[in-house]
Amino acid sequence: MKEKLLQVKNILKRRIKFIRQPVRDYLWNTNFRQRVKYTKFLNKTKVKNHVILYEAYHGKNMTGNPYAIFKGILKDPAFRHFQHIWAIEEEKNIIPIYKNYKNVVFVKIHSDEYLKYLTEAKYLINNTSFPYYFQKKQGQIYINTWHGTPMKTLGMDIKDAALSDHKNIQRNLLHTDYLISPNKFTYEKLLQSHDIFSLFNGKIADIGYPRVDSMFHADKNKIRKRLSIPFDKKIILFAPTWRGKVNQETDTSRKLHEELTELKEKMGDEYIILLKTHYFAYKFFENRGMANICVPEWMDTNELLSIVDLLITDYSSIFFDFLPSKKPIIFYGDDYDFYEKERGFYIEVNELPGPFCTTIQGVIDEIHQLQIVKEQYEGKYNQFLQNYCYHDDGNATERFIDIVLKGKESENVIKNENNKKKILFYCGGFYNNGITISAINLMNNLDYSKYEIVVIESSELHDGKENNIKKLHPNVSVLYRVGSWNMTIKEWYQHQLVVRRGLYSKVMRRNAPKSMYKRELSRMLGNANFDIVVDFGGYNSFWTLLFACGSDKKKCIYLHNIMMKEYEKVINGDYKHRKNLKIIFSLYRYFDKIISVSESANSENFNDLHQYIDHAKEKMVYVNNVINYKHVLTMKDQKRLINFENQPFLILSGGNTELGVLDLKGVAVPQEQNINFINIARLSPEKDQETLIHAFAKVTEVEEKARLYIVGEGPLEQQLKHLVQSLGIGNKVYFTGQIENPFVLLNQCDCFILSSEYEGQGLVLLEALILEKPVIGTNVPGIKSVLADGYGKLIDHNVEALKQAMITFIEEGMEMKEFDYVGYNRDAIEMFHSEVI
């Protein structure tokens, strides 16, 4: 009775925790509360046709293209009835005059008002990006104006950028309906550097920047009066790029102050020198009571440029805006080499339309011979005007209004279209495993003149992920998930029930939050549409749920193994895949094709899983994995050797001496007088290296010259190493760990052996056959599909059979059928085309 009461008590505790969890999160987790509120507005508000929301630099000020567009629309009588919403971070950055306008409203970034207007304004205008929770709803028009022609690299092109630093800008661009660009160079670099050039589904308006109009039309006298600048003084604007990192502004800002002081001392009374700083540098000066030395943060830079006689800048895009004034520019950067190494440039300094100085004294010297500078750089100046400023005539805002608000046709609007079939893949996380290799091989064999291939991935990093993603074909676009899904409290409960129970019953299928899953795909993908989605990983329930509930034309999911055995797999006392597969099995019914990677694996999977799938016979098919035989044949010869203590070692990794340190990992070179067996597989229960090691220990009792190389990593590594030592064969078994190029070592060995309890296909078997290596494999699904018909020796899965097979190989060798890897690959690609495409 006590046990029953305790059981009931534990059940009640879990249910109370379940009920309380989202309420607690809503109260204490700002991000969760924000997403819940935003979702409520997404669902309830209606898009208002005459409302425009503007945001510049994440609400830091009212400047740039959004401000220029705002002024243009505000003064146009045709749009007098429009309401204008400005998203602002701090009230002090509101331009005072607009506080009195009845049709202009200011909202604080991330406030409830902001969330509401973000979902009901028809026009959304931004020059950077909206927050990660933003997603455009039907009826809204998102205009991204960006904020300059790039001299510095962007997105993925930034040399020291992390793999997915560009993810939220990438996502915002996918939501964009109109990308406003000052020139062809800018929109190409922006879209290419964010890996979406051919995927971008909006319109590109190559019309010039509205913000540049402000330089042409600004009231110069008014600006001088506002800044208390005498009319008889020439104006130098010092506008450097911000350097440093957030919360580390001190050193760079102090240096900037020193340089400004020296400039003022050396230039005398002829010039007034204005300092235009980055937001972070401005904060530094403001916090120290020195904001008076800077141009006010709220002042529009382009209006300011109208009164400037000379611009001093470094790598900032401000100089492109200033070029149409046809006044001189001096470039100053004492850290060019460092900046080039860390960030990189699209335009070299020797191409610039003005002298490039590396000291502040050099800048002063150039100012003193300004007429010579003008003459010397006239040709480059004109070339820059021609290449980058061909639309800067003061009428860009008018063109914007005509195209975006009035819907007029224009030859300057480009639709980046192609007729390729678009396929979206989730590849399983890009871990060091066979799924990753299979995905890379497949994508390196597709026809990119016919197909647009896109991979979607989480932005979290782990060992090997970045390196594996870099192996993808250069034509593959990679999208990264940023943030988390937008949901209601009700949807939270519904999703948690799905996670616990799957979608096996009609009740669960009816009550699953499918609209939330579709919404999340929309949040990540924006305007991008796909003909086919492929869950190539097959083990992650999050992505399987999204793909299963999406509205794409065709849905496919891969089964890389005997999935019921994977469901039952235990590692260190835990069921490795049960939690995810419990959900995934119930989702197979939503896919058009459920694809195993070998005929024998498909047969096993059909027997185990067909009851979960309507029309299983038609849907459950197999497609052999593609191999990269050219890579295998090339890499087998990339051998690096080193002698250590009079013994030759094969270098497996390392060897980078750039920092003066030699850090190598190597393994003893397989000797010709030995009989060298090799196993390449994850150190995991299904690969069953334990049985192999026991069998090999018995082989060494018969043949002293037998050696075994075990290549791979996994949860059983330490356990297997202990086993080897306990059997007294530590000097005959070599654990190499995961290595980048296993083909050199494989090529040096005599026989490949795979002792798996079960396999999907055993890709490494095919790679061994490419190198014409004798192969021994257990007679289990996945392996027998490869080795049948004489391509290797199939044996029973036990210690005695493995031992006898190795001894037979030592004594007699092995005859093998030649593997036609070219023909195999051709057939595998045809199978993929037939079943998936």
Side-chain angles (χ1 to χ4, degrees):
M1 185 66 179
K2 285 183 179 180
E3 288 181 7
K4 203 164 188 179
L5 285 172
L6 185 62
Q7 189 178 12
V8 171
K9 186 178 178 182
N10 288 334
I11 292 171
L12 283 171
K13 273 185 179 179
R14 287 198 301 271
R15 289 185 176 176
I16 290 168
K17 183 181 178 182
F18 174 75
I19 293 168
R20 288 172 59 186
Q21 185 64 52
V23 178
R24 183 180 294 171
D25 286 346
Y26 188 86
L27 292 173
W28 299 107
N29 186 323
T30 303
N31 288 335
F32 181 75
R33 182 167 62 251
Q34 208 167 53
R35 289 185 285 122
V36 169
K37 287 182 177 181
Y38 180 69
T39 307
K40 182 187 75 172
F41 289 126
L42 269 177
N43 292 336
K44 292 188 175 180
T45 60
K46 292 184 178 180
V47 175
K48 296 181 178 178
N49 289 332
H50 303 129
V51 176
I52 306 175
L53 184 141
Y54 306 84
E55 187 175 315
Y57 301 108
H58 308 295
K60 296 292 187 292
N61 48 46
M62 294 174 65
T63 59
N65 288 311
Y67 179 57
I69 293 166
F70 164 71
K71 290 188 297 179
I73 299 172
L74 201 61
K75 71 180 182 182
D76 190 326
F79 305 103
R80 195 172 292 150
H81 57 296
F82 270 56
Q83 186 179 28
H84 306 269
I85 316 299
W86 266 100
I88 293 290
E89 188 177 65
E90 297 182 73
E91 188 177 352
K92 66 180 181 179
N93 291 326
I94 298 172
I95 298 175
I97 188 175
Y98 297 113
K99 289 182 179 181
N100 300 320
Y101 281 56
K102 290 182 180 180
N103 61 340
V104 179
V105 176
F106 297 95
V107 297
K108 186 174 175 60
I109 288 278
H110 305 307
S111 66
D112 289 1
E113 276 187 305
Y114 174 77
L115 301 179
K116 180 173 78 75
Y117 282 118
L118 197 57
T119 61
E120 69 179 24
K122 177 169 183 176
Y123 301 96
L124 305 165
I125 301 176
N126 203 321
N127 68 352
T128 49
S129 58
F130 287 114
Y132 75 88
Y133 53 77
F134 161 76
Q135 57 185 113
K136 181 165 58 72
K137 63 194 283 189
Q138 189 172 5
Q140 290 187 301
I141 298 173
Y142 181 8
I143 304 102
N144 194 301
T145 70
W146 201 237
H147 50 268
T149 296
M151 177 181 171
K152 305 183 294 287
T153 52
L154 301 171
M156 294 167 54
D157 296 341
I158 297 173
K159 293 182 178 180
D160 67 345
L163 184 68
S164 62
D165 280 356
H166 60 291
K167 55 186 177 290
N168 194 41
I169 294 173
Q170 179 188 64
R171 191 185 71 85
N172 269 256
L173 290 171
L174 287 175
H175 279 271
T176 298
D177 296 294
Y178 288 94
L179 177 61
I180 309 303
S181 183
N183 47 61
K184 181 181 179 183
F185 174 84
T186 297
Y187 72 72
E188 287 184 344
K189 291 299 182 189
L190 181 60
L191 296 176
Q192 288 167 356
S193 66
H194 288 82
D195 207 12
I196 58 167
F197 183 77
S198 55
L199 189 61
F200 181 72
N201 210 20
K203 295 177 180 178
I204 300 164
D206 182 9
I207 58 174
Y209 267 165
R211 74 184 192 186
V212 178
D213 294 355
S214 300
M215 185 175 70
F216 287 98
H217 304 309
D219 186 333
K220 297 178 184 180
N221 292 338
K222 191 175 180 180
I223 294 170
R224 278 182 175 266
K225 286 179 181 177
R226 194 184 300 168
L227 296 174
S228 302
I229 298 174
F231 286 86
D232 61 339
K233 299 289 185 181
K234 292 181 180 178
I235 297 171
I236 296 175
L237 179 63
F238 186 24
T241 300
W242 177 65
R243 288 147 171 83
K245 297 181 179 178
V246 179
N247 299 322
Q248 297 178 20
E249 298 88 5
T250 303
D251 290 340
T252 55
S253 299
R254 280 181 180 162
K255 181 175 178 292
L256 185 57
H257 185 224
E258 291 167 5
E259 290 172 341
L260 180 66
T261 302
E262 186 174 354
L263 268 175
K264 287 183 175 180
E265 288 175 354
K266 297 286 181 68
M267 297 315 303
D269 295 333
E270 183 182 356
Y271 292 98
I272 295 290
I273 302 174
L274 303 177
L275 175 64
K276 179 64 179 174
T277 65
H278 186 278
Y279 169 77
F280 293 124
Y282 183 86
K283 277 285 185 187
F284 170 83
F285 291 122
E286 185 181 47
N287 292 339
R288 283 154 184 79
M290 296 189 294
N292 60 301
I293 71 171
C294 305
V295 174
E297 184 69 10
W298 50 262
M299 174 163 273
D300 183 70
T301 302
N302 294 87
E303 289 185 348
L304 177 65
L305 288 178
S306 68
I307 64 169
V308 172
D309 298 289
L310 168 66
L311 175 65
I312 303 171
T313 189
D314 44 19
Y315 324 123
S316 171
S317 64
I318 190 174
F319 83 87
F320 288 99
D321 289 14
F322 189 63
L323 282 168
S325 72
K326 300 184 180 178
K327 294 175 182 176
I329 305 166
I330 295 174
F331 297 89
Y332 166 51
D334 61 353
D335 57 351
Y336 174 79
D337 291 339
F338 174 81
Y339 212 93
E340 201 283 330
K341 183 180 179 181
E342 294 291 311
R343 174 82 183 244
F345 295 96
Y346 292 129
I347 300 170
E348 299 299 324
V349 292
N350 59 3
E351 301 171 6
L352 293 172
F356 186 87
C357 306
T358 56
T359 65
I360 199 69
Q361 184 58 50
V363 172
I364 293 164
D365 293 341
E366 294 292 353
I367 294 173
H368 286 146
Q369 54 170 6
L370 211 50
Q371 188 55 41
I372 296 173
V373 168
K374 288 180 183 179
E375 294 169 3
Q376 186 179 354
Y377 286 91
E378 184 179 6
K380 288 182 178 178
Y381 205 113
N382 289 333
Q383 190 64 52
F384 263 69
L385 284 169
Q386 184 178 331
N387 291 343
Y388 305 108
C389 305
Y390 48 83
H391 282 307
D392 291 333
D393 56 5
N395 299 312
T397 305
E398 185 180 334
R399 287 191 287 271
F400 173 93
I401 291 171
D402 282 345
I403 292 166
V404 177
L405 297 184
K406 297 181 179 178
K408 292 185 178 179
E409 297 290 326
S410 171
E411 61 183 14
N412 296 319
V413 175
I414 303 151
K415 189 76 167 95
N416 199 22
E417 292 179 314
N418 63 60
N419 295 319
K420 296 179 184 179
K421 187 164 284 190
K422 292 181 172 60
I423 309 175
L424 178 69
F425 283 84
Y426 171 68
C427 293
F430 288 95
Y431 291 90
N432 289 322
N433 58 27
I435 294 175
T436 294
I437 295 169
S438 300
I440 293 168
N441 289 348
L442 172 62
M443 291 179 201
N444 285 337
N445 279 276
L446 295 177
D447 185 348
Y448 289 90
S449 67
K450 296 179 180 178
Y451 310 118
E452 193 75 49
I453 305 299
V454 179
V455 168
I456 192 162
E457 222 349 290
S458 71
S459 55
E460 287 79 22
L461 285 178
H462 54 73
D463 287 345
K465 182 171 183 175
E466 183 168 2
N467 189 44
N468 286 326
I469 286 178
K470 287 179 179 177
K471 293 177 186 176
L472 288 168
H473 192 282
N475 286 348
V476 174
S477 294
V478 183
L479 308 180
Y480 295 96
R481 184 179 185 234
V482 54
S484 189
W485 38 23
N486 296 315
M487 62 172 67
T488 63
I489 298 291
K490 179 183 177 182
E491 287 170 337
W492 186 95
Y493 286 123
Q494 290 173 317
H495 175 63
Q496 293 306 315
L497 287 174
V498 170
V499 169
R500 286 162 171 76
R501 300 177 184 175
L503 298 184
Y504 294 96
S505 69
K506 288 182 180 179
V507 172
M508 283 303 302
R509 290 197 289 273
R510 187 167 59 247
N511 290 293
K514 294 178 184 177
S515 59
M516 182 180 83
Y517 303 140
K518 289 181 181 179
R519 187 189 309 129
E520 177 61 4
L521 273 177
S522 173
R523 187 185 73 86
M524 290 189 290
L525 300 175
N527 298 331
N529 296 309
F530 294 92
D531 300 291
I532 305 167
V533 295
V534 182
D535 181 356
F536 195 82
Y539 283 88
N540 189 311
S541 60
F542 168 80
W543 294 102
T544 307
L545 270 169
L546 295 195
F547 283 13
C549 297
S551 53
D552 304 277
K553 296 174 186 174
K554 186 174 183 180
K555 305 168 189 176
C556 304
I557 187 168
Y558 268 70
L559 283 58
H560 288 276
N561 223 314
I562 312 306
M563 301 309 290
M564 191 57 74
K565 289 186 181 295
E566 288 286 271
Y567 181 82
E568 298 293 346
K569 182 164 74 176
V570 177
I571 297 178
N572 298 326
D574 292 326
Y575 287 99
K576 171 73 172 172
H577 298 299
R578 178 165 287 190
K579 184 179 178 182
N580 273 299
L581 291 180
K582 181 181 179 181
I583 304 167
I584 291 169
F585 289 169
S586 73
L587 297 173
Y588 286 153
R589 67 174 62 245
Y590 294 101
F591 286 85
D592 301 290
K593 294 288 182 179
I594 299 95
I595 304 167
S596 294
V597 291
S598 69
E599 185 175 13
S600 55
N602 184 49
S603 178
E604 291 281 325
N605 283 324
F606 180 86
N607 289 336
D608 294 337
L609 303 169
H610 71 274
Q611 67 267 29
Y612 304 125
I613 304 163
D614 300 327
H615 310 294
K617 283 188 177 180
E618 291 78 26
K619 288 184 175 183
M620 296 189 77
V621 298
Y622 74 95
V623 172
N624 288 334
N625 280 319
V626 177
I627 52 177
N628 190 345
Y629 58 83
K630 291 179 181 177
H631 177 71
V632 174
L633 293 171
T634 299
M635 295 306 290
K636 75 178 175 63
D637 296 321
Q638 305 298 311
K639 183 164 61 175
R640 297 186 297 164
L641 297 172
I642 190 170
N643 278 302
F644 183 73
E645 296 183 350
N646 297 319
Q647 184 178 358
F649 282 81
L650 189 67
I651 298 173
L652 302 178
S653 63
N656 183 5
T657 60
E658 183 181 345
L659 300 177
V661 176
L662 185 63
D663 182 15
L664 298 176
K665 179 180 179 180
V667 67
V669 173
Q671 299 297 304
E672 288 187 13
Q673 66 268 25
N674 294 331
I675 299 93
N676 301 292
F677 294 95
I678 183 170
N679 169 270
I680 304 174
R682 182 164 173 76
L683 308 185
S684 184
E686 75 278 9
K687 304 299 181 181
D688 199 11
Q689 286 94 349
E690 182 178 344
T691 297
L692 172 60
I693 289 167
H694 279 292
F696 181 75
K698 293 180 178 294
V699 172
T700 61
E701 295 172 4
V702 178
E703 177 52 74
E704 196 277 333
K705 292 181 179 179
R707 300 289 185 271
L708 175 61
Y709 291 81
I710 296 179
V711 179
E713 61 187 9
L716 300 186
E717 183 172 350
Q718 293 306 314
Q719 182 179 322
L720 294 172
K721 286 180 176 179
H722 288 313
L723 175 62
V724 165
Q725 295 303 320
S726 69
L727 293 172
I729 54 175
N731 62 335
K732 299 179 188 296
V733 179
Y734 307 99
F735 288 89
T736 71
Q738 185 74 24
I739 56 179
E740 184 67 23
N741 178 14
F743 308 116
V744 169
L745 183 58
L746 174 58
N747 198 46
Q748 295 282 298
C749 290
D750 302 298
C751 179
F752 178 79
I753 187 161
L754 198 60
S755 54
S756 302
E757 184 182 340
Y758 59 92
E759 282 281 351
Q761 183 182 40
L763 193 62
V764 69
L765 290 169
L766 300 170
E767 293 167 340
L769 293 176
I770 292 169
L771 297 179
E772 300 179 352
K773 290 293 161 186
V775 176
I776 298 170
T778 46
N779 189 13
V780 298
I783 295 180
K784 64 184 179 184
S785 290
V786 176
L787 298 186
D789 301 324
Y791 288 107
K793 186 172 182 61
L794 284 168
I795 59 168
D796 291 338
H797 178 251
N798 58 60
V799 171
E800 186 60 31
L802 280 164
K803 181 200 83 170
Q804 193 55 53
M806 285 186 274
I807 290 174
T808 301
F809 173 79
I810 292 168
E811 294 176 348
E812 302 175 10
M814 185 189 300
E815 287 188 9
M816 289 173 50
K817 187 175 177 181
E818 184 179 351
F819 178 49
D820 178 12
Y821 45 79
V822 176
Y824 167 88
N825 235 26
R826 182 180 58 247
D827 293 344
I829 289 292
E830 286 179 3
M831 294 171 81
F832 178 80
H833 280 240
S834 174
E835 299 295 351
V836 177
I837 299 178

